[in-house]
Structures are given as structure tokens and as C-alpha cells.
């Protein structure tokens, strides 16, 4: 049922009313699972209870509880409150069941501890309108609620929330004008790590046919490592890593417990390796059940051979984190040496085996980088090894694993530099978000576009980026050849976009014998 300003759609759980906006119909804050509180706390998501009447879907649901970091950049400040964290939002050109448009489902990033689908930077109107398709964005549990490996609870609850949202899409999206048989999942950073996880999860099989992983982070935790991290987090509150203990802490106060561990993580380097030098104590856990094996091994074994894949990264991934940490222009040779030894490639699971400065394989990683880049400055070495270890090489190897398993993958790099600070940030982590969504004056876009919005050049790059994604969701062809391990064709998005051989051949060779997988507990 439609009217000049509203449209009503009936879902399996009840009717929802959306608003007409800029040529689309938008539905916000539709619950896809019961609030995970009370006896549902730390449990797998439960089907939402049906409602009577028509529910207004005009406002985004509340963000899941999360740490305070970067709130101003993720749009969480002044967000609605409440326990209905598990909601979806839909942008559709027309909620006509006969339309059967392609569907794109966005999974936000944020180090598995931050994020909200209602952030202004994820306003999907340009993707839906330009691509003539349906876009869904979703919330999932974060931090301790979603990813801590605690006794008495299933692992990877945040990933299980994503599966539940995709099940909602399968069951309901036709009523919004979408085709449940043409679903593409796409995500950036932790969202890309989530996409990679979904490709490896038996419970997600068949829920989507295409996937896009933007700047996939490499860390995946072994069960032992995840349990050790959870014990350290719980200890910050004087508790045991058990669901019964942690349930005694209000879910809105629990993120502070995880946050308190952050400044102390380096004290655990002998146990956690490279994880002690990252920004988060949360990642997907290879628990053997929800996530049976790490994505690289799963894809190489053919877990996603029937799913078409785009995977790629930005050219200067780590510069965003260096800028946020006040490190640009300050890196010493000693700092570069420590980074090379911690993050440089080693033969086992995890960069440099995560052994830290002065230890075996870590020293080999330093020597390899210095030999490969003899003229690089300390700052360049510092940036490159972080970018390679955490984002670029895990992403490339995911594409190679997909091909090894009999599937198809397309590889890209975003090389166009952010205009802020005279281009000093380069094509940094997160730049693809405002370009893809066209949200230049929201969230990270405010920082990366210096608060001045777009330019004709930015709009042109944005349009090419968005067109490739929506074409892929519609036809499976983003506009450049599939990757192969001989020619290595890679789409490089820049002022003049080109298809070329993978542009980081030196790094690729440094890492070609490295075995990505679940990071172990050391010592």
C-alpha cells in the first residue's frame, strides 16, 4: 500500500511503514531478531516476535553498545537508545514484489567493536538510486557482546547476527522489490572480515551469491588465543570470562571493560604476538563450529566456489591510523625496526609469527623488507609493513584462495588520494566508504575531504567506484577481468582508472610463502 509520502510493506513478522525520500522508499529500524538482553544475552539471535498493526519504520534503531572511540566519526553520538540493536534498514526504488531488483547488503566496519548502520556515512540512497537496486544495511553485536570468546555462549555472536539478518533478507526482501536470489554482501574493514567469515560459515551458505570485501583485515583468532583475550578483558572487571559473570554488567557499561584493556595490550606481547600491537582485542574466532576454519583455508577448499567475489584494498591503508595516532612525519628507524620485526612475514600463521622485536622470524621479516625496499625511509617501511600485514596481503591472498578453490575473484586497488591535508593521507583506509556512498560530508568523509565536500574529480572517482559495485551486484561483471595468478589483472581506481598487473609485486613476493590463518596463543 502506498501514498504520496509513505509506503506500507508486510514482512513475516508484521507490517512496516516507510517514507518516500528522493525518489526512493526508505524503511529504517526494522527488527530482524529479538533484543539480545535478559535471558537472550550472549545467546545466538532469536527470531523477532510478530507485532500487530503497522509499525513506523522512520528512524534507525539504536546502535549496539560499543566503546567510545571514534564516536564522532561513526555517527553514534545522539543516536537513539534502547535494546533493539538488531535492526535492518532498506532503501528501495519501489516496494513492488514484481520488481525483483538485485539486493546489496552492507556490513559496516569498526574493528569489531564500533559501528552503527544508522551512521550518516552509510546513507545508501545514491547506491540504490544510481544502481536501480535495493540496499539493506544492518546492525550486529560488537565487542564483548558480539565477539568475546566466553564460556556459556556461542562464539562469533556478531557473525550469527549477520546470518540472521541475511535470513531476514531471504524471507522478506521480495516484498520490498528485491530478488532474494540475487543478493550481494559487501563490507569494509571489519565488515570485509565479516564478509570473508560468511564465505567460510556453513550457516551462511546459500544466503548470497556475490560478495565484496573492501580492505579485509588479516587477524582471525584461534580458539585458545580468543579465550585468553576474553580472560584478560573479564579480569578488568574482576570477573571470569563466563556468560553468567559478564551478564551481571549492564550491556551499556560492558564496553568500558573491553576499552580498559586497550592501553595494556602490549604487556601481553609474549602471549598474543602481533595482536598486542593492534587497535582491537576482537576478531572472528576460528572456533571449529560457527567458523570451522579461517577464510583462506575455507575458500581454498572450495567453500565459496559458487560465490562471485570482489576483493581489494586502498594503496596507503595504514596512513589513516598513523594520522589518528599523531605519527605522520615522526617515525624513527627504531620504530620502523620494531614494526618490521612484529609485522613482517614469517613462515607460520600470523605475520612474523607475532614474536616481536629481536626474535627469530621477526628479524627475518625486517631483513626481507629492508632488502626489498633499500631506499625506503623509516616512515615508508613502517607504513608499508603495517598496510601489507593487516590489509593488503590478506586481501590479495583471499582472492588467490578463492581461485584455488575453483571460484572467481576480481581484485582492485583504490589509489586516488584523499584531498585533506594536501593529499598527505594518500589513499588511506576508509576512503572507499565516502566514495562508494557519496557521503563526502559525513563521518570519515568530514576528515578525508577536509569538510569541504566533493569536487568534480572526487565525484568522477566516486561514480566509477559505485558503478562497478552495482554492475557487479546486477550482472556479476564489475567491468574488469577476473584475477588470475599469471597476469594478475587489477583494477586501479584513480583520476585515470586503469587495469594493470597487481601493483605491489614486491610485497606480494615477500609474502607469497606466508601462511595466513588463525593466530595462535603463544608461550
Amino acid at each position: 500500500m502506498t501514498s504520496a509520502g509513505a509506503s506500507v510493506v508486510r514482512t513475516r513478522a508484521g507490517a512496516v511503514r516507510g517514507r518516500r525520500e528522493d525518489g526512493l522508499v526508505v524503511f529504517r529500524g526494522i527488527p530482524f531478531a529479538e533484543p539480545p538482553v535478559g535471558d537472550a544475552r550472549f545467546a545466538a539471535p532469536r527470531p523477532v516476535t510478530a507485532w500487530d498493526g503497522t509499525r513506523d519504520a522512520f528512524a534507525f534503531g539504536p546502535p549496539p553498545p560499543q566503546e567510545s572511540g571514534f564516536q564522532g566519526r561513526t555517527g553514534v553520538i545522539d543516536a537513539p537508545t534502547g535494546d533493539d540493536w538488531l535492526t535492518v534498514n532498506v532503501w528501495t526504488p519501489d516496494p513492488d514484489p514484481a520488481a525483483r531488483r538485485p539486493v546489496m547488503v552492507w556490513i559496516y566496519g569498526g574493528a569489531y567493536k564500533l559501528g552503527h548502520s544508522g551512521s550518516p556515512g552509510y546513507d545508501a540512497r545514491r547506491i540504490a538510486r544510481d544502481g536501480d537496486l535495493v540496499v539493506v544495511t544492518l546492525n550486529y553485536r560488537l565487542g564483548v557482546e558480539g565477539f568475546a570468546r566466553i564460556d556459556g555462549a556461542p562464539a562469533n555472536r556478531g557473525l550469527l547476527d549477520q546470518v540472521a539478518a541475511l535470513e531476514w533478507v531471504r524471507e522478506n526482501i521480495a516484498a520490498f522489490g528485491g530478488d532474494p536470489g540475487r543478493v550481494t554482501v559487501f563490507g569494509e574493514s571489519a565488515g570485509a572480515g565479516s564478509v570473508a567469515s560468511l564465505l567460510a560459515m556453513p550457516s551462511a551458505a546459500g544466503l548470497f551469491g556475490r560478495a565484496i570485501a573492501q580492505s579485509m583485515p588479516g587477524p582471525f583468532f584461534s580458539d585458545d588465543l580468543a579465550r585468553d583475550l576474553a580472560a584478560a578483558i573479564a579480569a578488568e572487571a574482576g570477573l571470569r570470562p563466563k556468560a553468567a559473570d559478564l551478564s551481571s554488567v549492564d550491556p551499556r557499561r560492558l564496553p568500558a571493560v573491553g576499552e580498559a584493556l586497550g592501553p595494556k595490550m602490549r604487556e601481553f606481547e609474549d602471549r598474543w604476538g602481533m595482536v598486542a600491537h593492534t587497535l582491537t582485542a576482537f576478531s572472528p574466532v576460528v572456533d571449529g563450529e560457527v567458523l570451522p576454519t579461517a577464510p583462506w583455508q575455507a575458500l581454498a577448499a572450495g567453500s565459496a566456489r559458487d560465490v562471485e567475489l570482489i576483493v581489494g584494498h586502498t594503496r596507503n591503508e595504514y596512513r589513516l591510523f598513523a594520522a589518528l595516532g599523531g605519527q605522520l612525519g615522526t617515525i624513527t628507524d627504531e620504530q620502523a625496526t620494531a614494526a618490521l620485526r612484529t609485522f613482517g612475514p614469517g613462515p607460520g600463521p600470523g605475520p612474523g609469527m607475532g614474536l616481536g622485536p629481536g626474535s627469530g622470524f621477526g628479524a627475518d621479516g625486517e631483513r626481507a623488507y629492508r632488502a626489498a625496499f633499500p631506499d625506503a625511509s623509516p616512515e615508508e617501511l613502517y607504513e608499508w609493513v603495517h598496510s601489507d600485514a593487516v590489509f593488503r596481503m590478506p586481501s590479495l591472498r583471499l582472492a588467490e584462495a578463492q581461485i584455488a578453490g575453483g571460484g572467481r575473484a576480481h581484485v582492485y586497488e583504490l589509489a586516488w588520494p584523499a584531498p585533506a591535508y594536501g593529499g598527505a593521507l594518500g589513499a588511506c583506509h576508509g576512503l572507499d566508504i565516502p566514495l562508494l556512498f557519496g557521503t563526502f560530508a559525513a563521518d570519515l568523509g568530514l576528515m578525508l575531504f577536509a569538510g569541504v565536500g566533493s569536487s568534480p574529480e572526487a565525484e568522477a572517482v566516486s561514480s566509477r567506484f559505485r558503478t562497478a559495485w552495482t554492475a557487479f551486484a546486477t550482472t556479476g561483471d564489475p567491468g574488469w577481468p577476473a584475477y588470475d595468478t599469471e597476469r594478475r589483472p587489477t583494477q586501479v581506481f584513480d583520476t585515470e582508472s586503469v587495469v594493470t598487473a597487481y601493483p605491489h609485486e614486491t610485497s606480494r613476493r615477500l609474502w607469497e610463502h606466508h601462511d595466513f590463518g588463525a593466530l595462535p596463543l603463544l608461550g
Side-chain angles (χ1 to χ4, degrees), residues 44 90 102 239 255 265 288 330 336 343 347 371 397 403 432 443 482 505-506:
V90 182
L239 300 171
M265 285 179 62
T330 71
F343 290 93
R397 294 290 287 277
I403 295 165
D432 46 330
D443 301 347
E505 178 65 10
T506 301

Side-chain angles (χ1 to χ4, degrees), residues 242-336:
K242 297 179 179 292
D245 283 28
L246 293 169
S247 292
S248 67
V249 183
D250 185 284
R252 289 162 189 80
R253 296 183 180 275
L254 191 56
V257 177
E259 194 168 11
L261 179 66
K264 306 174 184 178
M265 285 179 62
R266 293 202 177 189
E267 299 173 11
F268 296 85
E269 182 184 31
D270 61 333
R271 298 177 62 79
W272 302 344
M274 67 164 286
V275 176
H277 295 265
T278 65
L279 298 175
T280 181
F282 305 102
S283 280
V285 180
V286 180
D287 66 304
E289 184 176 351
V290 175
L291 184 58
T293 188
W296 303 274
Q297 288 73 38
L299 267 62
S303 70
R305 65 166 58 98
D306 296 328
V307 178
E308 297 168 315
L309 175 66
I310 290 177
V311 62
H313 51 71
T314 68
R315 177 157 294 179
N316 310 107
E317 289 278 4
Y318 198 73
R319 255 188 237 181
L320 173 69
F321 306 103
L324 292 174
Q327 293 179 310
L328 289 181
T330 71
I331 300 301
T332 65
D333 195 60
E334 290 76 16
Q335 289 173 305

Side-chain angles (χ1 to χ4, degrees), residues 105-479:
V105 180
W106 171 253
I107 303 175
Y108 54 72
Y112 305 102
K113 62 181 183 179
L114 301 167
H116 177 215
S117 64
S119 295
Y122 304 144
D123 186 323
R125 72 185 66 188
R126 294 188 69 173
I127 299 175
R129 191 169 55 228
D130 293 0
D132 190 34
L133 42 70
V134 178
V135 181
V136 178
T137 66
L138 61 94
N139 281 353
Y140 59 98
R141 280 172 284 181
L142 300 164
V144 178
E145 299 286 339
F147 289 94
R149 185 67 169 109
I150 56 179
D151 291 338
N156 299 305
R157 297 169 298 282
L159 298 179
L160 293 175
D161 293 343
Q162 295 167 18
V163 171
L166 287 168
E167 291 172 339
W168 182 93
V169 169
R170 180 182 60 191
E171 295 168 358
N172 294 284
I173 205 63
F176 294 85
D179 183 349
R182 283 196 293 170
V183 174
T184 300
V185 293
F186 66 128
E188 185 269 348
S189 195
S194 297
V195 168
S197 299
L198 293 168
L199 291 168
M201 291 170 59
S203 62
L207 293 176
F208 56 93
R210 295 177 181 131
I212 305 173
Q214 304 169 210
S215 300
M216 172 197 172
F220 280 70
F221 296 164
S222 67
D223 203 54
D224 287 344
L225 174 60
R227 288 182 183 278
D228 205 62
L229 283 155
I233 292 169
E236 290 295 321
L239 300 171
R240 298 170 299 172
K242 297 179 179 292
D245 283 28
L246 293 169
S247 292
S248 67
V249 183
D250 185 284
R252 289 162 189 80
R253 296 183 180 275
L254 191 56
V257 177
E259 194 168 11
L261 179 66
K264 306 174 184 178
M265 285 179 62
R266 293 202 177 189
E267 299 173 11
F268 296 85
E269 182 184 31
D270 61 333
R271 298 177 62 79
W272 302 344
M274 67 164 286
V275 176
H277 295 265
T278 65
L279 298 175
T280 181
F282 305 102
S283 280
V285 180
V286 180
D287 66 304
E289 184 176 351
V290 175
L291 184 58
T293 188
W296 303 274
Q297 288 73 38
L299 267 62
S303 70
R305 65 166 58 98
D306 296 328
V307 178
E308 297 168 315
L309 175 66
I310 290 177
V311 62
H313 51 71
T314 68
R315 177 157 294 179
N316 310 107
E317 289 278 4
Y318 198 73
R319 255 188 237 181
L320 173 69
F321 306 103
L324 292 174
Q327 293 179 310
L328 289 181
T330 71
I331 300 301
T332 65
D333 195 60
E334 290 76 16
Q335 289 173 305
T337 294
L340 292 169
R341 293 187 175 195
T342 299
F343 290 93
M353 292 293 287
L355 295 174
S359 56
F361 297 125
D364 286 347
E366 180 201 356
R367 285 191 289 269
Y369 261 83
R370 290 191 183 278
F373 302 104
D375 299 322
S377 68
E379 184 152 15
E380 289 171 331
L381 290 170
Y382 186 87
E383 175 194 327
W384 290 345
V385 74
H386 277 98
S387 295
D388 283 343
V390 182
F391 297 110
R392 294 195 304 208
M393 294 304 107
S395 295
L396 179 66
R397 294 290 287 277
L398 191 73
E400 293 176 347
Q402 174 72 338
I403 295 165
R408 189 176 75 175
H410 297 263
V411 173
Y412 76 92
E413 178 180 72
L414 174 60
W416 185 78
Y421 310 109
L425 294 176
C428 65
H429 188 75
L431 176 61
D432 46 330
I433 297 173
L435 287 174
L436 175 60
F437 285 86
T439 49
F440 303 103
D443 301 347
L444 267 177
L446 285 170
M447 174 185 178
L448 302 181
F449 289 83
V452 299
S454 65
S455 65
E457 184 176 290
E459 289 286 359
V461 177
S462 174
S463 178
R464 285 196 293 273
F465 207 75
R466 190 163 49 253
T467 297
W469 267 220
T470 57
F472 177 73
T474 302
T475 68
D477 181 3

